[in-house]
Amino acid sequence: MMYKIIGADQKEYGPVSAEQLRQWLAEGRANAQTPVQAAGTAGWKPLAAYPEFAALLPADALAAATPPGYDAPRELPEDIFARDYDLDIGGCLGRAWELLKGNFALVAGGVAVYLFSQIAISGLALLCPILFSRLTHTPFVEIAGNLVSLVIAGPLTGGVFYFLLKNIRRQPTGISDVFAGFRRAFGQLLLGYVVMIILIYLAMLPGVALMVWPLLTLARQQAVAAGPIFVALLGFICLIVPAIYLSVSWTFLLPLIIDRQMKFGPAMKASRRMVGKHWWQVFGLVAVCGLINVVGLLFCGVGIFLTLPIALGAILYAYESIFSPPAAPAAYRAAARNATLLNLCATPGLGSLIAGRRAAGLGQLLLAIAGFGAVCGWLVLVAWQIYNAATRGAELRPTGWLGGAGAALFALAWIWSLFTSLSLLREARANEPGAGRPPPL
């Protein structure tokens, strides 16, 4: 008889013989709760459920073994905030892809139902004012449509997280689980989503004020001035940075509510505290997932039905590795993969800094910031000159050199970070221990 198991790193290992599995058990690479699938069977059961291995387990481990289904505990472990983790971004994406390949019809179908539901709700919110415009000219219909969209978004998103978590844990799952948020934790999901949105918008207000004031000044003066443009760019940074920070910090808010049945307040605190331990790693994962979805949208919008299950699955695999029982730390290659993804898909230099290449990382990051700033300045100048040409007949002045210089600086930072990433991957490959067996628990 051959067996497959799910290791502490949430990866699948096997098929292996019963003797090999007993060896892994003796080495501490498997325990009573390890998910095991025997050859020729469709379901996963804890190792303690197999009589051929029960004799090797202590009595207390057998008594505490999780029954089939692997439902997550309702409460977080008491020592959760004392734990550390090292997020394997590439591993999360790889496991999400394997999850989609292994059960494509169910996983892709469930996420498609979620996506169509979101599109339908948003579409109704936009169409209602048009459809009812002949009956009433009050803004009530438009407000009501937006409120309905806001009320449904949290529970619906929580439901698709619950659906994917059940697939990840090899639990019996149906399409109806996409709507589980409406029956399991509707009130808390609604409150958590609405409060999160409100707090993010409030954090953006200082940046909005700082950006609008110089733009109004430029409009009154009808002339380009370096000072107001600089202040407007500063306002944009003050607008976007808090929004990104809070959005990433609360990445796991809805999964905690739907999975652990937590109140929205403690769930917000738990997500922020655990993400805060390695904020840049979680940011890198979210940025890469966002980039994957952008690529999906570029394929006439249809690609999102393939990329969204991967992106959501990767985030939930990260949730499992952070909030579930301690797993093995990421190996050399995983850390190098994280740095590569951050360098090439998020911000050049960021991955190098996290990987310990401080001098190279700082140089790459400064070049990338300078290039990005130059491109933003060029876009503002172009927009302002077009406005002046349309309203006052002013002559357009050549500013392409600024945009070209910015693009060249950013490209240089990206290429430099690429060479650093390749160096990290080569170093990791040389130091990587033997593969093919699960890590210690």
Side-chain angles (χ1 to χ4, degrees), residues 126-172:
L126 293 173
L127 289 175
C128 280
I130 300 173
L131 295 174
F132 290 94
S133 60
R134 296 182 179 180
L135 301 177
T136 177
H137 296 284
T138 64
F140 172 76
V141 175
E142 185 175 354
I143 294 173
N146 290 329
L147 285 177
V148 170
S149 178
L150 186 65
V151 166
I152 293 176
L156 187 60
T157 305
V160 77
F161 284 150
Y162 180 72
F163 165 81
L164 289 171
L165 279 172
K166 291 186 72 175
N167 276 280
I168 288 171
R169 293 168 182 164
R170 273 70 174 183
Q171 297 175 359

Coordinates of all heavy atoms in Angstrom, one line a residue, residues 126-172:
L126 N -25.0 50.2 -10.6 CA -24.8 51.3 -11.6 C -26.0 51.5 -12.5 O -26.3 52.6 -12.9 CB -23.6 50.9 -12.5 CG -22.2 50.9 -11.9 CD1 -21.2 50.3 -12.8 CD2 -21.8 52.3 -11.5
L127 N -26.8 50.4 -12.7 CA -27.9 50.4 -13.6 C -29.2 51.0 -13.0 O -30.0 51.6 -13.6 CB -28.2 49.1 -14.2 CG -27.2 48.5 -15.2 CD1 -27.5 47.1 -15.6 CD2 -27.1 49.4 -16.5
C128 N -29.3 50.8 -11.7 CA -30.5 51.2 -11.0 C -30.8 52.7 -11.2 O -32.0 53.0 -11.5 CB -30.5 50.8 -9.5 SG -30.9 49.1 -9.2
P129 N -29.9 53.6 -11.0 CA -30.2 55.0 -11.2 C -30.6 55.3 -12.7 O -31.5 56.1 -12.9 CB -28.8 55.7 -11.0 CG -28.1 54.8 -10.1 CD -28.5 53.4 -10.5
I130 N -30.1 54.5 -13.6 CA -30.5 54.7 -15.0 C -31.9 54.2 -15.3 O -32.8 54.9 -15.9 CB -29.5 54.0 -16.0 CG1 -28.1 54.6 -15.8 CG2 -29.9 54.2 -17.4 CD1 -27.0 53.9 -16.6
L131 N -32.2 53.0 -14.7 CA -33.5 52.4 -15.0 C -34.6 53.2 -14.3 O -35.7 53.3 -14.8 CB -33.5 51.0 -14.4 CG -32.5 50.0 -15.2 CD1 -32.5 48.6 -14.5 CD2 -33.0 49.8 -16.6
F132 N -34.3 53.8 -13.1 CA -35.4 54.5 -12.4 C -35.3 56.0 -12.6 O -36.0 56.7 -11.9 CB -35.2 54.2 -10.9 CG -35.6 52.7 -10.5 CD1 -34.6 51.8 -10.5 CD2 -36.9 52.4 -10.3 CE1 -35.0 50.4 -10.2 CE2 -37.3 51.1 -10.0 CZ -36.3 50.1 -9.9
S133 N -34.5 56.5 -13.5 CA -34.3 57.9 -13.7 C -35.6 58.6 -14.2 O -35.8 59.7 -13.9 CB -33.2 58.2 -14.7 OG -33.5 57.6 -15.9
R134 N -36.4 57.8 -14.9 CA -37.7 58.4 -15.3 C -38.7 58.5 -14.2 O -39.7 59.2 -14.4 CB -38.2 57.6 -16.5 CG -37.3 57.6 -17.7 CD -37.9 56.8 -18.9 NE -37.1 56.8 -20.1 CZ -37.4 56.2 -21.2 NH1 -38.5 55.5 -21.3 NH2 -36.5 56.3 -22.2
L135 N -38.5 57.7 -13.2 CA -39.5 57.7 -12.1 C -39.2 58.7 -11.0 O -40.1 59.3 -10.4 CB -39.6 56.3 -11.5 CG -40.0 55.1 -12.5 CD1 -40.0 53.8 -11.7 CD2 -41.4 55.4 -13.0
T136 N -37.9 58.9 -10.8 CA -37.5 59.8 -9.7 C -36.1 60.4 -10.1 O -35.3 59.8 -10.7 CB -37.4 59.0 -8.4 OG1 -36.9 59.9 -7.4 CG2 -36.4 57.8 -8.5
H137 N -36.0 61.6 -9.6 CA -34.7 62.3 -9.9 C -33.9 62.5 -8.6 O -32.9 63.2 -8.5 CB -35.0 63.7 -10.5 CG -35.6 63.6 -11.8 ND1 -34.9 63.3 -13.0 CD2 -36.9 63.8 -12.2 CE1 -35.7 63.3 -14.0 NE2 -36.9 63.6 -13.6
T138 N -34.3 61.8 -7.5 CA -33.6 61.9 -6.2 C -32.4 60.9 -6.3 O -32.4 59.9 -7.0 CB -34.5 61.5 -5.1 OG1 -34.9 60.1 -5.2 CG2 -35.8 62.4 -5.1
P139 N -31.4 61.2 -5.5 CA -30.2 60.3 -5.4 C -30.5 59.0 -4.6 O -29.5 58.3 -4.4 CB -29.1 61.2 -4.8 CG -29.9 62.1 -3.9 CD -31.2 62.4 -4.6
F140 N -31.7 58.8 -4.1 CA -32.0 57.7 -3.2 C -31.6 56.4 -3.8 O -31.1 55.5 -3.2 CB -33.4 57.7 -2.8 CG -33.8 56.5 -2.0 CD1 -33.4 56.4 -0.6 CD2 -34.6 55.5 -2.6 CE1 -33.8 55.2 0.1 CE2 -34.9 54.4 -1.9 CZ -34.5 54.3 -0.5
V141 N -32.0 56.2 -5.1 CA -31.8 54.9 -5.8 C -30.4 54.6 -5.9 O -29.9 53.5 -5.7 CB -32.5 54.9 -7.2 CG1 -32.2 53.6 -7.9 CG2 -34.0 55.1 -7.0
E142 N -29.6 55.6 -6.3 CA -28.1 55.4 -6.4 C -27.5 55.0 -5.1 O -26.6 54.1 -5.0 CB -27.5 56.6 -7.0 CG -26.0 56.4 -7.3 CD -25.4 57.7 -8.0 OE1 -26.2 58.6 -8.4 OE2 -24.2 57.7 -8.2
I143 N -27.9 55.8 -4.0 CA -27.3 55.5 -2.7 C -27.7 54.1 -2.2 O -26.9 53.4 -1.7 CB -27.8 56.6 -1.7 CG1 -27.3 57.9 -2.1 CG2 -27.5 56.2 -0.3 CD1 -27.8 59.1 -1.3
A144 N -29.0 53.7 -2.5 CA -29.5 52.4 -2.1 C -28.7 51.3 -2.8 O -28.3 50.3 -2.2 CB -31.0 52.3 -2.3
G145 N -28.4 51.5 -4.1 CA -27.7 50.5 -4.8 C -26.3 50.3 -4.3 O -25.8 49.2 -4.2
N146 N -25.6 51.4 -4.0 CA -24.2 51.4 -3.4 C -24.2 50.7 -2.1 O -23.3 50.0 -1.7 CB -23.6 52.8 -3.4 CG -23.3 53.3 -4.7 OD1 -23.0 52.6 -5.7 ND2 -23.4 54.6 -4.9
L147 N -25.3 51.0 -1.2 CA -25.3 50.4 0.1 C -25.5 48.9 0.0 O -24.9 48.1 0.8 CB -26.5 51.0 0.9 CG -26.2 52.4 1.4 CD1 -27.5 53.0 2.1 CD2 -25.0 52.4 2.4
V148 N -26.4 48.5 -0.9 CA -26.6 47.0 -1.1 C -25.3 46.3 -1.5 O -24.9 45.3 -1.0 CB -27.7 46.8 -2.2 CG1 -27.7 45.3 -2.5 CG2 -29.0 47.2 -1.6
S149 N -24.6 47.0 -2.4 CA -23.3 46.4 -2.9 C -22.3 46.3 -1.7 O -21.6 45.3 -1.5 CB -22.7 47.3 -4.0 OG -21.4 46.8 -4.4
L150 N -22.3 47.4 -0.8 CA -21.4 47.4 0.3 C -21.8 46.3 1.3 O -20.9 45.6 1.9 CB -21.4 48.8 1.0 CG -20.4 49.0 2.1 CD1 -19.0 49.0 1.6 CD2 -20.7 50.4 2.7
V151 N -23.1 46.1 1.5 CA -23.5 45.1 2.5 C -23.2 43.7 2.1 O -22.8 42.9 2.9 CB -25.1 45.3 2.7 CG1 -25.6 44.1 3.5 CG2 -25.4 46.6 3.5
I152 N -23.3 43.4 0.8 CA -23.1 42.1 0.3 C -21.6 41.7 0.1 O -21.2 40.6 0.3 CB -23.9 41.9 -1.0 CG1 -25.4 42.0 -0.7 CG2 -23.5 40.6 -1.7 CD1 -26.2 41.9 -2.0
A153 N -20.8 42.7 -0.2 CA -19.4 42.4 -0.5 C -18.6 41.7 0.6 O -17.9 40.7 0.3 CB -18.7 43.7 -0.8
G154 N -18.8 42.1 1.8 CA -18.0 41.4 2.9 C -18.4 40.0 3.1 O -17.5 39.1 3.0
P155 N -19.7 39.6 3.3 CA -20.1 38.2 3.5 C -19.8 37.4 2.2 O -19.4 36.2 2.3 CB -21.6 38.3 3.7 CG -21.8 39.7 4.3 CD -20.8 40.6 3.6
L156 N -19.9 38.0 1.0 CA -19.6 37.2 -0.2 C -18.2 36.9 -0.3 O -17.8 35.8 -0.6 CB -20.1 38.0 -1.4 CG -20.1 37.3 -2.8 CD1 -20.9 36.0 -2.7 CD2 -20.5 38.2 -3.9
T157 N -17.3 37.8 0.0 CA -15.9 37.6 0.0 C -15.5 36.6 1.0 O -14.6 35.7 0.8 CB -15.1 38.9 0.1 OG1 -15.5 39.9 -0.9 CG2 -13.6 38.7 0.0
G158 N -16.0 36.8 2.2 CA -15.8 35.8 3.3 C -16.2 34.4 2.9 O -15.5 33.4 3.2
G159 N -17.3 34.3 2.1 CA -17.8 33.0 1.7 C -16.8 32.3 0.7 O -16.6 31.1 0.8
V160 N -16.2 33.1 -0.2 CA -15.3 32.4 -1.2 C -14.0 32.1 -0.5 O -13.4 31.0 -0.8 CB -15.0 33.4 -2.4 CG1 -14.1 34.5 -2.0 CG2 -14.5 32.6 -3.6
F161 N -13.6 32.8 0.6 CA -12.5 32.4 1.4 C -12.8 31.0 2.1 O -11.9 30.1 2.1 CB -12.1 33.4 2.4 CG -11.4 34.6 1.9 CD1 -11.6 35.9 2.5 CD2 -10.6 34.5 0.8 CE1 -10.9 37.0 2.0 CE2 -9.9 35.6 0.3 CZ -10.1 36.9 0.9
Y162 N -14.0 30.9 2.6 CA -14.4 29.7 3.3 C -14.4 28.5 2.3 O -13.9 27.4 2.6 CB -15.7 29.9 3.9 CG -16.3 28.7 4.7 CD1 -15.8 28.3 5.9 CD2 -17.3 27.9 4.2 CE1 -16.3 27.2 6.6 CE2 -17.9 26.8 4.8 CZ -17.3 26.5 6.1 OH -17.8 25.4 6.7
F163 N -14.9 28.7 1.1 CA -15.0 27.7 0.1 C -13.5 27.2 -0.3 O -13.3 26.0 -0.4 CB -15.7 28.3 -1.1 CG -15.5 27.6 -2.4 CD1 -16.3 26.5 -2.7 CD2 -14.6 28.0 -3.4 CE1 -16.1 25.7 -3.9 CE2 -14.4 27.3 -4.6 CZ -15.2 26.2 -4.8
L164 N -12.6 28.2 -0.5 CA -11.3 27.8 -0.8 C -10.5 27.1 0.3 O -9.7 26.2 0.1 CB -10.5 29.0 -1.3 CG -10.9 29.6 -2.7 CD1 -10.3 30.9 -2.9 CD2 -10.6 28.6 -3.8
L165 N -10.8 27.6 1.6 CA -10.1 26.9 2.7 C -10.6 25.5 2.8 O -9.8 24.6 3.2 CB -10.5 27.7 4.0 CG -9.6 28.9 4.3 CD1 -10.2 29.7 5.5 CD2 -8.2 28.6 4.6
K166 N -11.8 25.2 2.6 CA -12.3 23.8 2.6 C -11.6 22.9 1.6 O -11.3 21.8 1.8 CB -13.8 23.7 2.5 CG -14.6 24.3 3.7 CD -16.1 24.1 3.6 CE -16.4 22.6 3.8 NZ -17.9 22.4 3.8
N167 N -11.4 23.5 0.4 CA -10.7 22.8 -0.7 C -9.2 22.6 -0.3 O -8.7 21.5 -0.5 CB -10.7 23.6 -2.0 CG -12.0 23.4 -2.8 OD1 -12.1 22.4 -3.4 ND2 -12.9 24.3 -2.6
I168 N -8.6 23.6 0.3 CA -7.2 23.4 0.8 C -7.1 22.3 1.8 O -6.1 21.6 1.8 CB -6.7 24.8 1.3 CG1 -6.5 25.8 0.2 CG2 -5.4 24.6 2.1 CD1 -6.2 27.2 0.6
R169 N -8.0 22.2 2.7 CA -8.0 21.2 3.8 C -8.6 19.9 3.4 O -8.7 19.0 4.2 CB -8.7 21.8 5.0 CG -8.0 23.0 5.6 CD -8.9 23.7 6.6 NE -8.3 24.9 7.1 CZ -8.9 25.9 7.8 NH1 -10.2 25.8 8.0 NH2 -8.2 26.9 8.2
R170 N -8.9 19.7 2.1 CA -9.4 18.5 1.6 C -10.7 18.1 2.3 O -11.0 16.9 2.5 CB -8.4 17.3 1.8 CG -7.4 17.1 0.7 CD -6.4 18.2 0.6 NE -5.4 17.9 -0.4 CZ -4.3 18.7 -0.6 NH1 -4.2 19.8 0.1 NH2 -3.5 18.4 -1.5
Q171 N -11.5 19.1 2.6 CA -12.9 18.8 3.2 C -13.9 18.7 2.0 O -13.7 19.3 1.0 CB -13.3 19.9 4.1 CG -12.4 20.1 5.3 CD -12.8 21.3 6.2 OE1 -13.7 22.0 5.8 NE2 -12.1 21.5 7.3
P172 N -15.0 18.0 2.3 CA -16.1 17.9 1.3 C -16.6 19.3 1.0 O -16.9 20.1 2.0 CB -17.1 17.0 1.9 CG -16.4 16.2 2.9 CD -15.3 17.1 3.4

